[in-house]
Amino acid sequence: MQKIKQKLLYVLDILKETDETTPITTNQIIKRLKMYGIDTERKSVLRDISALSEYGFDIVLHSDNKLGYYIASRDFEDWELKVLYDSVLSASFLTQSETKSLADRICSLSSAAGRKNLRAVTPIRFENKSKDPAVKIYIDIVMKAIRTKCSVTFQYTFTDIDLKRKLKRNGYTYSVSPYAVYRSGSSYYMIGNTDGYDNLSCYRFDRIKNLTCCECNARPAEEILGKNPDIRISEYVQNTVYNFSGEKITLQMLVKNCTIDELLDFFGSKLKISGSTDNLLVTVRTTQSEGLYRWLMKYSETVTAVSPESVVTEMKRRTTAAADKYNAISH
């Protein structure tokens, strides 16, 4: 009797396996229901399909009536599921078991054929997966703290020369009012205001230790950012190069055209470009930070900073120091 009451849900589960390429007939549904211990007839199955359609499921009779019914539209298209699937696989903070569990649940949102194709086109590698479950717990804690407007405390770590994690500042406890959580590359970051300062800071979740949500009220974002703090936080994320904050500057660079894609990836589309194809002058607003210098060093063969003078001077110092180190190597 209990299974009879659940018949409608079983019919829905069976239909969820279908799509336009793999419809199912009422007779096939009846056979599947028998596997669940339910005996029924065609009219009853048709009533179930009608009820599900009235509820909002897009169930369609195939143009070739003999092929049966299928679900024509879903909450997510297969390409959207592919994006979500790839995001889970690339998240290095997830453990192998967490990755598999999330990936399977994402696949379950597609049809049987869609699941098979999604797995077939996506190579899975677990080499870079974490064995530490703390990151996902910390993300959850910070999201709760933001929702309840509470501050958080934690310790921050760095990697020493033995490739071991050590606590920064002799285990100093940071107190932060969190405002946002965002992802950059495969890492997640917390944006907030650190106690004792009047600006924004960001912290990588995989470098945080012993994070707890406090009963203390968080400092309102409006107090340090003014009106529309969400816009200011978004600007901070966009302008903080490699997650290093710094003074805003107007940067001008001479760039080879082969590096345009790398410029767009790093600085975004708000670039002003002039000059010839082999010697472009690119102007962009960014921050003068350690992250910027690292990027300029990385592309020093095709990118040359020409202003402001402070950036040019620092790049001269860094490139000279790098050249001196290589010149000092004896063969």
Side-chain angles (χ1 to χ4, degrees):
M1 181 61 69
Q2 183 65 24
K3 288 185 178 180
I4 295 296
K5 292 180 179 179
Q6 295 172 346
K7 179 166 72 71
L8 182 66
L9 296 177
Y10 282 122
V11 171
L12 176 59
D13 284 342
I14 292 168
L15 285 168
K16 282 182 177 179
E17 300 288 312
T18 67
D19 57 26
E20 188 175 6
T21 63
T22 55
I24 191 168
T25 66
T26 52
N27 285 335
Q28 289 171 326
I29 293 174
I30 290 170
K31 288 180 180 180
R32 290 281 299 274
L33 289 172
K34 283 186 178 180
M35 297 170 59
Y36 300 117
I38 299 173
D39 290 316
T40 189
E41 58 182 13
R42 184 171 181 274
K43 288 184 179 179
S44 178
V45 171
L46 289 174
R47 285 196 296 270
D48 290 336
I49 292 174
S50 177
L52 291 169
S53 296
E54 290 178 7
Y55 185 73
F57 289 99
D58 189 12
I59 302 172
V60 175
L61 179 63
H62 197 277
S63 55
D64 183 349
N65 293 356
K66 295 179 181 178
L67 296 178
Y69 296 85
Y70 65 93
I71 291 185
S73 62
R74 300 170 184 272
D75 291 337
F76 296 95
E77 299 289 342
D78 280 351
W79 72 265
E80 295 172 317
L81 295 177
K82 169 65 174 169
V83 172
L84 296 173
Y85 196 84
D86 288 341
S87 296
V88 167
L89 295 183
S90 65
S92 59
F93 69 89
L94 292 174
T95 65
Q96 183 171 330
S97 61
E98 290 166 350
T99 299
K100 187 178 184 308
S101 174
L102 281 171
D104 287 346
R105 278 181 277 169
I106 289 171
C107 283
S108 71
L109 299 173
S110 184
S111 65
R115 290 198 295 273
K116 183 177 179 181
N117 185 55
L118 188 59
R119 292 188 174 106
V121 301
T122 310
I124 299 178
R125 296 179 60 190
F126 292 117
E127 289 89 344
N128 67 333
K129 289 300 177 178
S130 171
K131 295 181 180 178
D132 183 1
V135 171
K136 72 175 189 297
I137 297 171
Y138 291 165
I139 291 175
D140 191 51
I141 291 173
V142 170
M143 290 178 67
K144 177 182 177 183
I146 294 172
R147 185 175 69 250
T148 57
K149 295 180 171 54
C150 292
S151 61
V152 295
T153 60
F154 56 90
Q155 294 170 302
Y156 211 52
T157 67
F158 69 99
T159 304
D160 67 9
I161 60 174
D162 296 319
L163 302 183
K164 294 181 179 180
R165 303 300 295 175
K166 300 288 186 180
L167 294 176
K168 292 189 72 172
R169 300 175 62 182
N170 296 318
Y172 175 80
T173 298
Y174 295 75
S175 178
V176 172
S177 297
Y179 304 136
V181 173
Y182 84 104
R183 179 178 174 177
S184 178
S186 63
S187 299
Y188 275 86
Y189 295 80
M190 171 178 62
I191 304 294
N193 168 245
T194 306
D195 233 11
Y197 296 88
D198 293 317
N199 57 6
L200 293 175
S201 300
C202 65
Y203 299 91
R204 253 175 69 162
F205 276 98
D206 59 350
R207 296 179 182 172
I208 289 174
K209 289 290 183 185
N210 304 319
L211 183 141
T212 58
C213 184
C214 306
E215 295 181 359
C216 305
N217 291 334
R219 186 179 183 185
E222 292 83 356
E223 190 175 310
I224 61 170
L225 301 175
K227 294 181 179 179
N228 301 316
D230 291 345
I231 296 175
R232 297 288 302 279
I233 292 169
S234 179
E235 290 174 348
Y236 172 82
V237 171
Q238 293 175 23
N239 294 325
T240 301
V241 182
Y242 276 156
N243 304 305
F244 289 93
S245 58
E247 178 187 354
K248 287 186 178 181
I249 58 170
T250 298
L251 176 68
Q252 288 191 312
M253 302 167 283
L254 291 176
V255 179
K256 299 294 183 183
N257 63 348
C258 62
T259 316
I260 292 298
D261 284 335
E262 285 73 14
L263 283 169
L264 290 171
D265 287 343
F266 192 73
F267 294 105
S269 60
K270 295 182 179 180
L271 302 172
K272 293 182 180 179
I273 302 176
S274 59
S276 65
T277 55
D278 290 329
N279 204 25
L280 301 172
L281 179 64
V282 177
T283 305
V284 64
R285 286 287 289 175
T286 185
T287 55
Q288 186 169 343
S289 66
E290 180 63 27
L292 173 63
Y293 291 126
R294 292 181 183 180
W295 188 88
L296 289 171
M297 289 292 290
K298 179 179 179 180
Y299 292 100
S300 58
E301 290 188 8
T302 56
V303 177
T304 304
V306 294
S307 74
E309 186 59 35
S310 57
V311 174
V312 175
T313 300
E314 179 60 17
M315 285 302 298
K316 286 179 178 178
R317 185 192 70 78
R318 292 186 180 224
T319 53
T320 299
D324 288 345
K325 287 179 181 179
Y326 279 102
N327 290 332
I329 296 175
S330 57
H331 295 283

